[in-house]
Amino acid sequence: MAKVLGIIGGGQLGMMITEAASKMPEHISKIIVLDPTENCPASQAGAEQIRADFKDKDAIIELSEKSDIITYEIESGDSDVLKYAERNAEINPSPETLKIIQDKLLQKSFLKDNDIPVARFIEVRDIGCVRAGLKEFGYPALLKARRDAYDGRGNFKIGSEDDIQEAFDYFKGQSLLLEKFVEFKMEVSVIASRNTKGQIRTYPLVENIHEDNILRMTIAPARVTEEIARNAELIASKTMTVLKGAGVFGIEMFVTQNDEIIINEIAPRVHNSGHHTLQSSETSQFEQHLKAILGLELGSTRLLHPTIMYNILGSKSFEGKYRPIDLSEPNVYLKMYGKEVSKPLRKLGHFNLVARDNETVEQLLAKIETLKEKMETKPL
Ligand code: ATP
Ligand code: MG
């Protein structure tokens, strides 16, 4: 029997999950999203919407009563409320997995305890802990909020003793951890999936370029040796084995100066660095996520051709309605998220540039340079 799928969050990730679900009518009959924004992206793709805050307890319970299975596109859900909602609907990834991941300190401790490499870190209970940590692993270091961080806004870099007080005051009363700063060579990620029966599949390693702490583009495959890629994919696989969550997970990593891989953080959901799979793979990460939570056999994760995903971000110089992005180029697949208003660095859409006829990643990067200007948002 086809199931009703509930999604907490109806932004672009919820939208692309909804689109993938609509191609599986034999498994999913209806999609309902919980999102506070009127006419949210997922509702534009055909999902029914419960309009409420992501943390609204009654709304989450209502969603669970109307759904057979629940998943999410944001990791800030209240895991206790979700635990309660589990009596009405199956929830994947499970509230237990979510609870570990949504707290960076619990997440890093969990990884470390399972011998998965992470940067050195310590729990921060007061400013004395910050000083003790800095003494232990030196400058620079990052003070990080344990919860609800995104786009790097929960991080403060401490470069010298003079920054300690300012960094500590910046977070006013939040729970924190201190982490050694990693002088990485490259930021990479693995989109990993595990279905409810325990089958695990990882997508090939990709390279992530950030600007202003926001993902600018993803290069698939990452420009690293086969050995580094294999190692990263093995670490991702091991993480999925110990974590036991079902669904797709975005595992962000660093390649260190010694070509070691260490995990930065895990997102318990489909991930921006996996959008290339819409064109680069037989199975997109969105379809894979649905297969995983429904307990279906996972799809192929093989990379069919090099692909670059480029994020279309709101211009830094204005806020308001913007001119439609017009991009019609061979081998370019534009996906806009239906957001009416542009805000500085808001994620409004992305495109995938796909290699044809043995084009190399370097050639794709040169093409991106010529397309950048067309991607600028301008006021309407
Ligand atoms: P996101 O940007 O994924 O929403 P976030 O706000 O939770 O995430 P992190 O992923 O922890 O923050 O960090 C954001 C960026 O800061 C990373 O992509 C990386 O560039 C940098 N960073 C984080 N931790 C470290 C570290 N220990 N050493 C060096 N750079 C780091
Ligand atoms: Mg991150």
Side-chain angles (χ1 to χ4, degrees):
M1 257 266 290
K3 293 180 172 163
V4 177
L5 171 71
I7 310 175
I8 299 178
Q12 63 266 23
L13 303 179
M15 175 191 219
M16 290 184 272
I17 295 172
T18 300
E19 286 165 348
S22 64
K23 292 183 196 143
M24 302 167 76
E26 68 282 25
H27 297 292
I28 296 168
S29 55
K30 184 160 99 174
I31 298 118
I32 310 172
V33 298
L34 189 163
D35 195 286
T37 317
E38 190 180 350
N39 197 23
C40 67
S43 78
Q44 294 178 40
E48 209 177 286
Q49 182 177 0
I50 296 173
R51 243 188 102 185
D53 191 81
F54 306 120
K55 296 197 177 185
D56 183 326
K57 187 173 173 183
D58 294 336
I60 293 172
I61 304 293
E62 181 189 341
L63 182 69
S64 70
E65 283 165 352
K66 291 181 169 166
S67 309
D68 299 305
I69 178 161
I70 285 188
T71 191
Y72 26 87
E73 62 146 31
I74 45 155
E75 53 266 58
S76 62
D78 182 329
S79 56
D80 292 333
V81 177
L82 288 173
K83 188 83 207 134
Y84 178 86
E86 252 183 336
R87 63 190 68 189
N88 298 323
E90 192 180 330
I91 302 183
N92 278 313
S94 71
E96 287 83 7
T97 304
L98 181 65
K99 200 173 175 132
I100 296 173
I101 291 181
Q102 66 186 185
D103 178 333
K104 284 184 176 169
L105 180 68
L106 288 186
Q107 185 192 131
K108 297 216 156 145
S109 308
F110 177 84
L111 292 171
K112 187 171 169 228
D113 292 347
N114 283 288
D115 291 325
I116 294 170
V118 288
R120 292 179 70 183
F121 67 92
I122 55 153
E123 181 181 359
V124 169
R125 288 178 305 275
D126 53 40
I127 200 162
C129 298
V130 181
R131 294 187 199 284
L134 288 164
K135 202 173 247 176
E136 199 180 311
F137 45 70
Y139 295 91
L142 284 175
L143 195 56
K144 290 190 171 188
R146 282 172 62 172
R147 304 174 134 265
D148 294 336
Y150 66 99
D151 295 341
R153 277 173 234 196
N155 294 347
F156 197 111
K157 189 172 177 182
I158 300 179
S160 74
E161 201 180 335
D162 297 343
D163 301 334
I164 298 176
Q165 190 66 48
E166 192 189 345
F168 193 74
D169 292 345
Y170 174 79
F171 291 106
K172 277 194 289 268
Q174 293 184 59
S175 304
L176 306 171
L177 74 153
L178 184 78
E179 192 174 292
K180 185 171 171 57
F181 191 87
V182 180
E183 303 289 352
F184 54 80
K185 249 190 204 171
M186 190 187 279
E187 289 199 76
V188 292
S189 58
V190 173
I191 302 299
S193 53
R194 180 177 178 280
N195 75 8
T196 51
K197 302 191 171 112
Q199 186 193 10
I200 292 171
R201 281 209 172 149
T202 56
Y203 285 87
L205 188 72
V206 297
E207 175 178 345
N208 297 318
I209 315 280
H210 292 89
E211 264 173 39
D212 301 308
N213 274 317
I214 295 189
L215 184 66
R216 176 80 264 181
M217 63 179 158
T218 294
I219 303 171
R223 291 169 293 174
V224 296
T225 62
E226 261 177 48
E227 196 186 341
I228 295 174
R230 203 176 323 114
N231 184 24
E233 287 154 26
L234 276 176
I235 288 174
S237 225
K238 180 173 177 195
T239 304
M240 295 308 283
T241 306
V242 295
L243 204 53
K244 296 198 181 73
V248 157
F249 292 66
I251 307 183
E252 302 174 7
M253 306 163 166
F254 301 129
V255 181
T256 68
Q257 299 296 335
N258 308 325
D259 287 341
E260 279 156 2
I261 294 283
I262 60 177
I263 292 190
N264 170 35
E265 63 165 354
I266 304 172
R269 53 169 171 79
V270 289
H271 194 257
N272 195 170
S273 72
H275 292 358
H276 67 91
T277 59
L278 283 167
Q279 270 79 39
S280 69
S281 313
E282 240 166 69
T283 322
S284 77
Q285 63 164 343
F286 307 101
E287 183 185 352
Q288 193 79 309
H289 180 63
L290 294 168
K291 285 175 185 271
I293 63 175
L294 290 166
L296 303 174
E297 167 93 14
L298 296 174
S300 162
T301 53
R302 195 167 67 84
L303 190 72
L304 301 173
H305 30 62
T307 300
I308 295 184
M309 189 280 319
Y310 186 83
N311 268 340
I312 296 166
L313 304 174
S315 157
K316 286 192 213 168
S317 61
F318 83 99
E319 176 164 338
K321 295 197 173 178
Y322 58 100
R323 279 189 233 167
I325 301 276
D326 180 22
L327 184 69
S328 151
E329 295 275 340
N331 308 324
V332 171
Y333 298 80
L334 178 68
K335 175 82 195 158
M336 296 304 292
Y337 305 146
K339 298 180 186 177
E340 260 187 36
V341 171
S342 173
K343 293 180 189 168
L345 301 178
R346 186 179 196 195
K347 288 176 181 167
L348 300 171
H350 73 262
F351 70 82
N352 285 332
L353 171 63
V354 169
R356 298 282 186 229
D357 308 322
N358 295 322
E359 265 178 315
T360 62
V361 162
E362 298 307 328
Q363 285 167 316
L364 293 184
L365 281 168
K367 260 194 195 168
I368 293 277
E369 286 305 311
T370 69
L371 297 172
K372 266 186 181 171
E373 211 214 331
K374 291 188 181 170
M375 295 300 106
E376 286 287 315
T377 54
K378 302 194 177 73
L380 192 64

